[in-house]
Amino acid sequence: MEHTYQYAWIIPFLPLPIPMLLGVGLLLFPTATKNLRRMWSFTSVLLLSIVMTFSVNLSIPQINSSSIYQYVWSWTINNDFSLEFGYLIDPLTSIMSILITTVGIMVLIYSDNYIWNVLIFINRFLVHTAYCGKCLSKSVVTNRVGDFGLLLGILGLYWITGSFEFRDLFEIFNNLIYNNNNGTNFLFVSLCVLFLFVGAVAKSAQFPLHVWLPDAMEGPTPISALIHAATMVAAGIFLLARLFPLFIVIPYIMSLISLIGIITILLGATLALAQKDIKRSLAYSTMSQLGYTMLALGMGSYRAALFHLITHAYSKALLFLGSGSIIHSMEAIVGYSPDKSQNMVLMGGLQNMCQLQKILFIRYTLSLWYSASCLFLVQR
């Protein structure tokens, strides 16, 4: 199986040439590129299907044995200093790779008749420049705060431990916590871990760095489903799960994580009830549901947090795609006007025109409730 693990680098790199070629083609040969839309769509779905199959194949040994594989390339500059880069395959990365590839295929197929798959290449550009300047400023400010905190945390931990390797980092950090009675060192390492948490708060739209997510819904619906429901907003939760051994040894940080999760749950759910825009309502719902995941991590329930992260990602991606279909149905009545076509106040009686969407939307909503019930029963 190690021979297969050596080719795990194809997961991020195999689908990459298609959006790059699309971007260049649209800039240099826009007409010819648009005429070959079906060919680009088929190739994108094919390559992503191969990646998804490979991800599932890598995950089978993880399910059976929870094995860990690390592959590192070394770039030696001199005898005293070398740069290393590589990838780590464990149950956490296997789960995330399956999540991203399966949701990616679903969104690609959906977006083929929507704005097609060039969106995957230019999604951030569309959301942050073509749709609203207000969203740009909020997203840049909040994420720069998170990035700065994350950078400070990384540099601080490297200064303390002298390593970026997860295993070495966890071992040295635990020794500092349990074997060192110096209060100054404990305060400093706690501050470094807190800075790491700030990065996770910004990426997963948790209170108080949550303000960018609802405005990002002004972008196209496939972007909302892929980026703002299943992948990018899960990055903060993934960071906490990956560095969980650092957080769990500091009770004060764990209590803070739980508190932020509780505030986000209540705030997101309350704001979602007050929204008229269907996508903004789903955005606040996403924020609230990620708060549950944050709360579970703060309570030390690692598996429950990941379970809810995965099930919520699929359910919310389906809800966003379903909302896109409903919005298109509204456009046939009110014309192209986001203020009207996305306004839930004006959607009364729409079920007579959208029987299929009604059934699917109800099933998508119930899938989230069902997964939460299963999680409760498993925990009991």
Side-chain angles (χ1 to χ4, degrees), residues 37-38 41 107-117:
R37 180 174 68 89
R38 288 295 179 185
S41 301
V107 172
L108 273 178
I109 295 174
Y110 177 90
S111 63
D112 178 55
N113 289 319
Y114 195 95
I115 310 179
W116 61 295
N117 46 20

Side-chain angles (χ1 to χ4, degrees), residues 167-194:
R167 295 179 185 176
D168 298 338
L169 182 62
F170 297 155
E171 181 179 356
I172 298 173
F173 189 85
N174 288 337
N175 291 334
L176 286 173
I177 294 295
Y178 292 118
N179 301 330
N180 197 326
N181 296 323
N182 190 332
T184 304
N185 287 343
F186 179 79
L187 179 62
F188 184 74
V189 296
S190 299
L191 187 62
C192 292
V193 174
L194 179 61

Side-chain angles (χ1 to χ4, degrees), residues 83-274:
L83 294 176
E84 294 182 344
F85 61 96
Y87 53 84
L88 174 69
I89 300 175
D90 64 353
L92 178 60
T93 53
S94 299
I95 290 173
M96 293 302 295
S97 64
I98 292 177
L99 168 66
I100 293 173
T101 53
T102 50
V103 173
I105 286 180
M106 180 171 59
V107 172
L108 273 178
I109 295 174
Y110 177 90
S111 63
D112 178 55
N113 289 319
Y114 195 95
I115 310 179
W116 61 295
N117 46 20
V118 69
L119 291 174
I120 309 305
F121 178 75
I122 57 173
N123 59 77
R124 298 304 297 272
F125 176 77
L126 283 175
V127 171
H128 294 313
T129 60
Y131 282 84
C132 80
K134 179 176 66 174
C135 172
L136 171 63
S137 59
K138 287 185 178 180
S139 179
V140 168
V141 171
T142 54
N143 280 280
R144 290 304 76 78
V145 171
D147 292 343
F148 185 64
L150 182 61
L151 178 62
L152 289 178
I154 293 173
L155 295 178
L157 288 177
Y158 180 75
W159 186 69
I160 296 171
T161 63
S163 176
F164 289 123
E165 292 285 342
F166 288 127
R167 295 179 185 176
D168 298 338
L169 182 62
F170 297 155
E171 181 179 356
I172 298 173
F173 189 85
N174 288 337
N175 291 334
L176 286 173
I177 294 295
Y178 292 118
N179 301 330
N180 197 326
N181 296 323
N182 190 332
T184 304
N185 287 343
F186 179 79
L187 179 62
F188 184 74
V189 296
S190 299
L191 187 62
C192 292
V193 174
L194 179 61
F195 282 138
L196 294 177
F197 176 59
V198 171
V201 167
K203 296 303 179 185
S204 290
Q206 299 294 286
F207 175 86
L209 301 178
H210 64 281
V211 294
W212 64 270
L213 184 60
D215 290 326
M217 294 301 107
E218 297 189 24
T221 305
I223 294 176
S224 302
L226 180 63
I227 304 296
H228 303 129
T231 56
M232 190 178 75
V233 293
I237 306 298
F238 177 80
L239 175 64
L240 289 185
R242 170 60 69 202
L243 301 178
F244 194 66
L246 299 181
F247 293 96
I248 200 171
V249 296
I250 306 179
Y252 303 106
I253 300 297
M254 295 292 285
S255 299
L256 178 62
I257 294 173
S258 300
L259 178 62
I260 293 298
I262 292 172
I263 295 174
T264 306
I265 291 169
L266 297 176
L267 181 64
T270 304
L271 292 175
L273 292 174

